[in-house]
Amino acid sequence: MGLKAGIVGLPNVGKSTLFNAITKKNILAANYPFATIDPNVGIVTVPDKRLDVLQEREIPNRVVPTSFEFTDIAGLVKGASNGEGLGNKFLSHIREVDAICEVVRCFEDDNITHVEGKIDPLRDIEIINVELVISDLEIVNNRLNKIEKKAVTTKDKDALFEVNTLKKCIDSLEKNIPLRRLEFTEEEDIVLKNFNLITKKPIIYMANVSENDILNGNEYVDIVKDYASKENSKVVMLSAKIESELSELNDEDKLLFLEDLGINESGLDKLIKATYDLLGLATFFTAGKDECKAWTFKKGMKAPQCAGIIHTDFEKGFIKAEVTSFEDYYKYGSEKAAKENGKMRLEGKDYIMQDGDIVYFRFNV
């Protein structure tokens, strides 16, 4: 289950520059609005030092890290929902993502125009927020108009429940409150799942700063952090310019460059960690001479469900899971040595998978 994130923001906030850098693609990043019309999709591998250890010790034929997919859409402007700029039709391209990454301009640069005339992160966030809210409101209203009359007439229990759930959303959206700020029951979540409402998705604010502010931030970043704290969202401070320079370096030079800057990880690494934390994700591994592979799963998933991530047959025919923690693998040097020291466990259907588990699934179909 590779991660998917949608990148949104106003024009000229560093959105496409950042996308270019983290996905190493060369899309148009011009100094004028609407340089990006079609959505751009890029995939990056998720760095994990534990996978490096497995590769070093197992010497497999291939190594497969888990992935992170980014979709970059055209910059939104005030009034997009009413047809300004390119309108908001391309928001459909990010309805399938797991999380929204909103790039917020937190740097001054007279050479890069701001579509609203001056730097104001709070105003920028609210502009994007309004456009996403209106987009969701249109979808929810359209659905309500289709089913409400029939639901009331037939008094169908499920249809009436959907109507009430939709009205709950409309009440929030009409007050310009994103749906991620509301609490929904499991039944309500099921009703809303197929609509892929954007404001219901978790959001990470990416505060794009200058190279000079990468260590300590600035007053603009403080504004973004204050806003995000009110909705339990996360903020990742980075510099699109630095990320662009890092993308041109090999791993060794990248480490030296980060060291010179006084930081220990790139903005991309911080973003991936923040996204995993926000979505409650973790990683398990399968290891052997043929392949060492990292798999993303949601915390709380049981062994059969994780087996199903590899193949549906694994979940259907699940028998047992041979599990070694990465810590024990690292300590004893191999799965075999860990087993000889009593550290390989045989787990059943109720076992809740843990981050770093190295697993071999037994199944029978």
Side-chain angles (χ1 to χ4, degrees):
M1 50 181 294
L3 271 176
K4 292 184 179 181
I7 303 179
V8 300
L10 293 175
N12 300 346
V13 297
K15 197 164 56 65
S16 292
T17 299
L18 185 61
F19 178 86
N20 279 343
I22 61 182
T23 62
K24 294 185 179 178
K25 287 202 170 188
N26 186 24
I27 62 169
L28 183 60
N31 181 26
Y32 55 90
F34 322 129
T36 310
I37 298 177
D38 297 321
N40 292 283
V41 178
I43 298 176
V44 299
T45 56
V46 176
D48 195 317
K49 293 179 180 178
R50 296 171 297 183
L51 192 60
D52 296 337
V53 172
L54 289 172
Q55 179 180 12
E56 184 180 312
R57 293 184 179 178
E58 299 294 330
I59 315 177
N61 293 329
R62 62 181 178 274
V63 177
V64 186
T66 190
S67 63
F68 201 137
E69 181 181 297
F70 289 95
T71 299
D72 174 42
I73 64 170
L76 291 169
V77 295
K78 188 174 183 179
S81 53
N82 296 317
E84 294 295 324
L86 296 173
N88 68 355
K89 293 180 180 179
F90 40 73
L91 286 176
S92 61
H93 296 299
I94 59 170
R95 290 201 175 275
E96 302 294 331
V97 303
D98 301 301
I100 301 297
C101 297
E102 181 174 337
V103 182
V104 184
R105 180 168 170 175
C106 294
F107 66 90
E108 299 273 3
D109 189 333
D110 293 336
N111 294 318
I112 301 177
T113 60
H114 192 293
V115 71
E116 289 293 321
K118 66 176 183 176
I119 310 302
D120 185 343
L122 190 58
R123 177 209 56 212
D124 293 357
I125 290 172
E126 289 295 349
I127 288 174
I128 297 296
N129 188 50
V130 167
E131 301 309 321
L132 300 184
V133 161
I134 292 174
S135 178
D136 278 355
L137 190 58
E138 182 181 357
I139 287 175
V140 177
N141 271 322
N142 286 342
R143 176 60 179 169
L144 184 64
N145 291 336
K146 284 183 181 179
I147 70 165
E148 184 175 22
K149 186 176 180 179
K150 183 177 180 181
V152 173
T153 303
T154 63
K155 291 183 170 53
D156 179 81
K157 185 179 178 182
D158 292 337
L160 286 171
F161 182 79
E162 182 176 352
V163 166
N164 289 332
T165 302
L166 294 172
K167 285 184 175 180
K168 175 180 177 179
C169 293
I170 289 171
D171 183 60
S172 174
L173 294 169
E174 286 183 339
K175 295 173 183 174
N176 199 29
I177 299 173
L179 298 179
R180 61 179 170 274
R181 297 187 187 178
L182 301 187
E183 289 188 9
F184 292 97
T185 65
E186 187 176 341
E187 291 77 15
E188 288 172 332
D189 278 332
I190 292 172
V191 167
L192 298 174
K193 184 178 180 181
N194 291 332
F195 299 123
N196 286 321
L197 299 170
I198 297 177
T199 66
K200 194 172 183 295
K201 299 179 188 295
I203 191 167
I204 294 176
Y205 295 101
M206 301 162 70
N208 185 15
V209 300
S210 68
E211 292 175 281
N212 295 331
D213 291 328
I214 193 62
L215 281 177
N216 301 313
N218 56 38
E219 60 181 316
Y220 298 134
V221 176
D222 294 337
I223 291 171
V224 177
K225 287 181 177 178
D226 181 62
Y227 182 92
S229 68
K230 294 173 183 175
E231 59 178 25
N232 295 317
S233 294
K234 291 186 174 294
V235 176
V236 172
M237 186 175 71
L238 46 69
S239 166
K241 187 175 181 181
I242 289 175
E243 295 301 310
S244 184
E245 292 174 12
L246 284 171
S247 69
E248 302 298 323
L249 304 176
N250 59 40
D251 290 343
E252 186 177 341
D253 289 340
K254 190 180 296 184
L255 288 174
L256 291 172
F257 184 60
L258 289 172
E259 190 177 306
D260 287 341
L261 291 171
I263 54 180
N264 54 21
E265 59 183 346
S266 69
L268 174 59
D269 289 348
K270 289 193 288 185
L271 175 60
I272 290 172
K273 285 182 181 179
T275 309
Y276 266 63
D277 185 46
L278 186 66
L279 297 176
L281 301 176
T283 305
F284 73 86
F285 303 93
T286 51
K289 295 301 178 185
D290 182 49
E291 176 185 86
C292 286
K293 187 168 183 176
W295 305 86
T296 301
F297 71 99
K298 201 164 184 66
K299 290 177 181 177
M301 289 177 69
K302 294 182 178 180
Q305 293 174 288
C306 287
I309 293 174
I310 298 176
H311 198 288
T312 53
D313 285 347
F314 285 23
E315 182 174 6
K316 292 175 184 176
F318 179 88
I319 300 174
K320 293 284 183 181
E322 295 178 5
V323 183
T324 305
S325 72
F326 178 80
E327 290 74 17
D328 288 331
Y329 175 92
Y330 187 81
K331 178 180 179 180
Y332 294 104
S334 68
E335 285 184 281
K336 181 180 178 182
K339 183 176 183 180
E340 289 171 351
N341 283 274
K343 296 300 181 180
M344 178 182 282
R345 311 182 310 276
L346 203 57
E347 301 288 359
K349 292 182 178 180
D350 291 329
Y351 175 67
I352 297 175
M353 293 284 284
Q354 301 298 309
D355 183 53
D357 279 349
I358 301 169
V359 194
Y360 174 79
F361 292 108
R362 295 183 186 179
F363 71 101
N364 182 32
V365 178

